[in-house]
Amino acid sequence: MNELAVADLFAGVGGFRIGLEAASEGFLTVFSSQWEQPGAPSTQFASRCYSDPERFGAFGHTNADIVRALDDVRDGKLEIGRIDLLVGGFPHQDLSVAKPVNQSAGLAGKKGVLWWQIHRMLRLWARLDSPPEWVFLENVDRLLKSPANQRGRDFAIMLASLSDLGYDIEWRVVNAADYGFPQRRRSVFILGRRRKRKDVDGTTRVLRDGILARAFPIEEQDAGEHLEGPHFTLNGDLEVITREFGHGVVRSQFLNAGFVNGRKVWTFRVGPEYDGPSMTLGDILLNDSEVDESLVIDPASLAEWHHLKGAKLEFRTHTESGRSYNHSEGALPFPDHLDRPARKILSSEGGTSPSRSKHVVQMADGRFRRLAPVELERLNGFPDGWTDTGMSDNQRAFCMGNALVVGLVERVARVIAKEAGLPLKRSKPAKSKR
């Protein structure tokens, strides 16, 4: 096979596709979907970027609610054709680390339920006797332990439903900085492949032979955690799992790497093995002479920046419930360290107002400034100016906060390409862009 037909769901500004196409020209995207609630034209800036003629163009792209698009597929109004690989960084706001864990609604949240549209698409293609061979997904690592009152329930539902659709599933929590990238961004990557057999050695699949183990080599495992397997089985239908899984446990049963075959689960705590080049926040910064003055922080607001970045213990009242509680948080560096990978970009990175989460760096003349949109793009590995398609700086920052590190996708895509017999592109070495 010289190509894999790709469906790119919840495509954002194209991080998955950039990573795939950096690995091989054999990844051919035949369908992409990006739609942002509530559907007003003003909220569709990511879709316009993705389909821009100088990016990916409009071929195969829809800026429609995925529910409506799949309704059209079901009703014969939209024909997509064969799909070999389904990818998606499905919306994770209801799971995001930006929320306290007890406020994360998980798969029951308004955005979390979009997982079921991925499931629905796989079922639709299965009914056409052409289920995708591969499923490659990304989400925040909190997925493994949500919701707070049933640790791991959401992930158990996902794994069981994918297994029931005929897939073996690998997962791995990866911090991009552990593999040389200039951002400490933790994601869970989920890789499904059509099941070939039911007597698979899950231990070697997780630790050595799997797609994700080859993409992200493993140095160590916790010898006290699950040396043999399978370690447990996902029993019951999805309603039973929804009601019962994770009750009464303090920690999720899902560790940071694992494999599922026929609902049998192997899971391990692993660490990264990497000795290649590593980039830092300082490596991706613009020269001071290139910095727009609008990014420089007003000295009059520095006291508020310092307060927000500092450690604090405050008595607060929850707005909706009226419940009072003590809120504590540790100090963040101010300014951010240039000799280390950056903290994770959040979608709230844009704007001039003082903020705890925004990155701040110090210039050679002593002034402080926020990061430019192009620097946020570099932290995720996007080409310079990728989101410069008429968006505001706030919208560009929002897109990068919701994006992924494309180099991680490329690492996985290279292993998939080898498995599928696709031609590989020459990899580009990591280097400073200063």
Side-chain angles (χ1 to χ4, degrees), residues 21 44 65 74 95 191 222 274 300 322 338-339 362 400 429:
E21 294 184 359
Q44 307 311 311
D65 185 345
R74 178 200 61 198
L95 304 166
L191 197 286
D222 187 335
Y274 180 77
L338 303 187
D339 60 348
Q362 190 167 21
M400 287 299 100

Side-chain angles (χ1 to χ4, degrees), residues 46-189:
S47 179
R48 288 193 291 271
C49 176
Y50 188 104
S51 59
D52 184 90
E54 296 184 8
R55 275 65 177 172
F56 298 125
F59 172 78
H61 184 73
T62 179
N63 176 217
D65 185 345
I66 188 62
V67 176
R68 183 182 304 170
L70 293 183
D71 283 347
D72 288 344
V73 171
R74 178 200 61 198
D75 297 339
K77 298 177 182 178
L78 174 63
E79 185 173 344
I80 297 173
R82 187 190 86 241
I83 295 173
D84 303 303
L85 168 64
L86 184 152
V87 303
F90 62 101
H92 51 244
Q93 283 88 334
D94 292 302
L95 304 166
S96 174
V97 294
K99 290 185 177 182
V101 68
N102 61 1
Q103 295 179 24
S104 295
L107 294 185
K110 291 181 180 179
K111 300 248 180 175
V113 294
L114 291 175
W115 149 253
W116 294 112
Q117 298 308 313
I118 295 174
H119 184 268
R120 182 186 180 198
M121 191 166 190
L122 294 172
R123 285 192 294 110
L124 282 171
W125 263 252
R127 291 173 183 171
L128 298 172
D129 295 322
S130 58
E133 174 73 11
W134 305 88
V135 181
F136 181 19
L137 309 173
E138 178 267 351
N139 212 293
V140 295
D141 62 332
R142 175 167 286 184
L143 176 61
L144 272 64
K145 58 184 179 182
S146 72
N149 61 344
Q150 278 183 262
R151 294 293 189 186
R153 180 204 68 189
D154 292 347
F155 199 48
I157 292 170
M158 286 182 58
L159 294 176
S161 59
L162 282 171
S163 183
D164 291 350
L165 288 172
Y167 291 90
D168 285 344
I169 311 107
E170 306 172 34
W171 79 84
R172 177 78 179 279
V173 175
V174 179
N175 183 339
D178 287 339
Y179 291 91
F181 299 100
Q183 183 184 178
R184 300 194 301 275
R185 192 181 192 103
R186 288 168 58 88
S187 301
V188 58
F189 288 95

Side-chain angles (χ1 to χ4, degrees), residues 184 281-282 285 295 297 302 305-310 331-343 349 355-371:
R184 300 194 301 275
L281 173 58
L285 294 183
L295 297 171
I297 291 174
L302 283 176
W305 281 96
H306 277 288
H307 169 73
L308 292 170
K309 297 280 188 177
L332 292 177
F334 185 82
D336 285 88
H337 299 295
L338 303 187
D339 60 348
R340 305 177 190 177
R343 293 175 292 106
E349 183 78 29
S355 163
R356 177 175 171 82
S357 62
K358 295 172 187 175
H359 293 74
V360 174
V361 297
Q362 190 167 21
M363 302 170 71
D365 63 6
R367 293 185 298 168
F368 296 89
R369 70 171 179 88
R370 297 176 294 110
L371 295 186

Side-chain angles (χ1 to χ4, degrees), residues 103-389:
Q103 295 179 24
S104 295
L107 294 185
K110 291 181 180 179
K111 300 248 180 175
V113 294
L114 291 175
W115 149 253
W116 294 112
Q117 298 308 313
I118 295 174
H119 184 268
R120 182 186 180 198
M121 191 166 190
L122 294 172
R123 285 192 294 110
L124 282 171
W125 263 252
R127 291 173 183 171
L128 298 172
D129 295 322
S130 58
E133 174 73 11
W134 305 88
V135 181
F136 181 19
L137 309 173
E138 178 267 351
N139 212 293
V140 295
D141 62 332
R142 175 167 286 184
L143 176 61
L144 272 64
K145 58 184 179 182
S146 72
N149 61 344
Q150 278 183 262
R151 294 293 189 186
R153 180 204 68 189
D154 292 347
F155 199 48
I157 292 170
M158 286 182 58
L159 294 176
S161 59
L162 282 171
S163 183
D164 291 350
L165 288 172
Y167 291 90
D168 285 344
I169 311 107
E170 306 172 34
W171 79 84
R172 177 78 179 279
V173 175
V174 179
N175 183 339
D178 287 339
Y179 291 91
F181 299 100
Q183 183 184 178
R184 300 194 301 275
R185 192 181 192 103
R186 288 168 58 88
S187 301
V188 58
F189 288 95
I190 303 160
L191 197 286
R193 188 176 188 181
R194 295 293 298 174
R195 186 179 306 122
K196 308 298 182 185
R197 44 188 283 198
K198 289 189 176 182
D199 56 344
V200 176
D201 179 2
T203 299
T204 59
R205 186 66 66 90
V206 175
L207 301 180
R208 187 178 67 248
D209 297 340
I211 301 294
L212 297 182
R214 284 181 276 165
F216 307 116
I218 293 167
E219 181 180 58
E220 62 189 37
Q221 67 181 72
D222 187 335
E225 300 269 10
H226 303 321
L227 289 181
E228 302 295 335
H231 305 126
F232 59 93
T233 302
L234 298 169
N235 292 316
D237 61 25
L238 298 185
E239 290 187 9
V240 170
I241 293 174
T242 300
R243 288 196 311 268
E244 300 179 2
F245 191 92
H247 273 302
V249 300
V250 176
R251 295 182 179 180
S252 172
Q253 297 178 67
F254 301 110
L255 303 180
N256 67 351
F259 176 72
V260 176
N261 170 259
R263 287 211 182 192
K264 295 180 291 185
V265 179
W266 289 257
T267 186
F268 298 87
R269 193 178 309 282
V270 303
E273 179 182 1
Y274 180 77
D275 60 1
S278 293
M279 297 179 68
T280 68
L281 173 58
D283 289 327
I284 61 87
L285 294 183
L286 296 167
N287 294 318
D288 285 355
S289 61
E290 301 174 286
V291 174
D292 191 284
E293 284 293 315
S294 65
L295 297 171
V296 178
I297 291 174
D298 182 352
S301 69
L302 283 176
E304 185 174 359
W305 281 96
H306 277 288
H307 169 73
L308 292 170
K309 297 280 188 177
K312 53 186 69 70
L313 177 62
E314 300 174 338
F315 187 72
R316 296 183 178 181
T317 301
H318 190 267
T319 304
E320 295 181 2
S321 68
R323 181 179 61 86
S324 297
Y325 62 98
N326 287 319
H327 171 79
S328 63
E329 56 191 13
L332 292 177
F334 185 82
D336 285 88
H337 299 295
L338 303 187
D339 60 348
R340 305 177 190 177
R343 293 175 292 106
K344 178 181 178 179
I345 306 167
L346 300 180
S347 58
S348 56
E349 183 78 29
T352 61
S353 60
S355 163
R356 177 175 171 82
S357 62
K358 295 172 187 175
H359 293 74
V360 174
V361 297
Q362 190 167 21
M363 302 170 71
D365 63 6
R367 293 185 298 168
F368 296 89
R369 70 171 179 88
R370 297 176 294 110
L371 295 186
V374 69
E375 293 168 327
L376 300 176
E377 292 167 341
R378 291 175 181 181
L379 287 178
N380 279 330
F382 282 73
D384 283 6
W386 183 262
T387 57
D388 189 10
T389 54

